[in-house]
Amino acid sequence: MCGIVGFSSRSVSACGPLVNGLRRLEYRGYDSAGVALASERDIRVFKRTGKVAELDRLLNAELPENERSTYTLGIAHTRWATHGLPTEVNAHPHVADGGNLALVHNGIIENYAALRAKLEARGCVFVSQTDTEVLAQLVATFDRGDLLSAVSQALKQVEGTYGIAVISRRHPGEMVVARKGSPLVIGVGENATIVASDVSAIVSHTRQVIYLKDGDVARVLPEGVDVFTLDNVPVSREMQEVEWDAGAAEKGGFEHFMLKEIFEQPETLRNTIRGRLDRVDGTSVLAGLNLPPRDLASIRRAVIIGCGTSLHAAMVGKYLFESLADLPTSPEQAAEFRYCNPIIGPSDWAVAVSQSGETADTLAAVRESIGKGALVSAICNVVGSTIAREAGRGVYLHAGPEISVASTKAFTSQVTVLLMMALKLGRTRRLSREEGLRLCEEIGGLPDKVGEVLKENDRIAAIAAKYAEAEDMFFLGRGILYPTALEGALKVKEISYVHAEGYQAAELKHGPIALLGEHTPVVALLNDIPGKEKTIGNVQECRARRAPVVGVVTAGDDDAARHCNDVIVVPRTSAACAPIVTAVALQLFAYHLARIRGCEIDQPRNLAKSVTVE
Ligand code: F6R
């Protein structure tokens, strides 16, 4: 949510790296963008509403190539509006001290109104409606010759979350950055230091990075970084090497990141599974969980917490934990969980699921669970993310960077990790070695099964074309496929703006069936697993109301197919693996629907990838 980049060098112009960095972070927000460039003489600020491409056009028009080389320090921002409309005035960077100081911010300053009133009483004049401008003015009031100390003093007055980068004409060559609750990574290269909200904006410069911790403030120079606490105590932060390279964050010949990420899934699942199946004892090896069988066996209840797509994975997790390990499990929407004073304690296991590892509500739920003495684990994709670090134990997805705003490959990897967790749990409770070995075999075969779904791409595109004019759709699933129905509907809503609802197959007739008619397609998940016959009954109810039915059907299952107007074929799997192959089919369906409707697939309106506000 909002992307920040900072660049500091002695010899290289900051302009290109900042704009390129913003392009990489555009998935975090894209309603306006801006850059502040510093030379020995001045700071120049350029802002535009709309996408980074607009900002780039402005820079090309107003900053000739020969002038750019003098600006070797700069900060930049791409915005997802929280306070104030997405206008040029509200776009970052915000300036203070008569334009001498510039600041970019990701997060929310909760006490900004009180701070603003105090500053106004002292004569500060504000031009925007943002909380960020308040922070910029506050830092300027503390500047007595040491920028780092001014930032620290200002931040001590702030309630809320922030990832910030600040430059000032009074402190040439220096950038100060800080974080609390919003991610910030520093890449240390040979000729430059680059700061960003996530590593995708850094890897084209260097793979050597430092992840700041909450409460850190750092002085960034072209030669490197010094990190302190807000009380000015130096702290050391380990340099780490990023696993993937710049190529992983490119479209690789696909028209959209979303399509690339859908097609990557055989590979991403292989990476998720690699080295984690024990085909001798029929269990899984999840070292990061750090829970010996004795601890696993003593867990009385699990809660699996997430938002959006990750919540849907959590809901699948409930079926897996209960059916494979007899462990009572409840999926929890993170914001609801954190504010309901949850009953959770030392015999409970809280599992937080988050692709980004930065979602504010999920992080708060993790803290709540830790505070109440529960055992806490995380399932994250982004290595070193806040949730991964605070949970302390967990399992990484290893799915590589997910750039498309609509989550795809993260979902299938999340479900696969939950499946491997269920296998491990199950083996400490009730699964026999033989059952465990069968499950290992199935999990190991998932990448190829997903590959088979991808071969259906053209057929799925043709079916999507038939329904591309629909304005309402229903997705029906039963049992373990119900969360997948929700996920299919979410994908359609997000990227094609078609109103789509996921329902338990049996629930439709308790009200929503009133909406069905010939213009309301129903996507029914009819995989050949227990419960299918009942769902076929629900399909008949839909057809009796003239609703056209697209069935997701197991290959060769003519019995299910004959009840549908159109059929998307998926390979045969057990119930435990059915959500994975089915989700991939629905991702393709949603993708083609959006493409045919001419929607902006990778950056849908109003959305942002990483939701770091409550
Ligand atoms: C949907 C989507 C969102 C995220 C949600 C949680 O396609 O991407 O619903 O799943 O914002 O994000 P993470 O998993 O990063 O916590």
Side-chain angles (χ1 to χ4, degrees), residues 164-224:
I164 59 167
V166 191
I167 55 175
S168 163
R169 199 177 65 81
R170 299 182 196 281
H171 307 276
E174 185 179 338
M175 171 173 26
V176 173
V177 300
R179 72 156 279 178
K180 184 180 153 214
S182 297
L184 211 58
V185 192
I186 303 173
V188 182
E190 294 210 340
N191 303 316
T193 311
I194 180 155
V195 174
S197 304
D198 91 42
V199 287
S200 59
I202 292 180
V203 282
S204 62
H205 299 272
T206 175
R207 286 163 71 177
Q208 303 299 316
V209 300
I210 294 168
Y211 294 95
L212 287 190
K213 293 195 171 161
D214 272 355
D216 285 352
V217 53
R219 180 179 290 119
V220 176
L221 299 171
E223 296 75 27

Side-chain angles (χ1 to χ4, degrees), residues 308-350:
T309 290
S310 296
L311 173 62
H312 298 153
M315 293 170 78
V316 178
K318 169 197 165 68
Y319 289 91
L320 297 172
F321 282 21
E322 292 191 343
S323 63
L324 298 172
D326 286 346
L327 180 66
T329 302
S330 50
E332 300 282 349
Q333 201 284 338
E336 294 294 322
F337 179 81
R338 65 181 287 200
Y339 286 121
C340 74
N341 191 15
I343 302 168
I344 187 163
S347 58
D348 298 321
W349 189 23

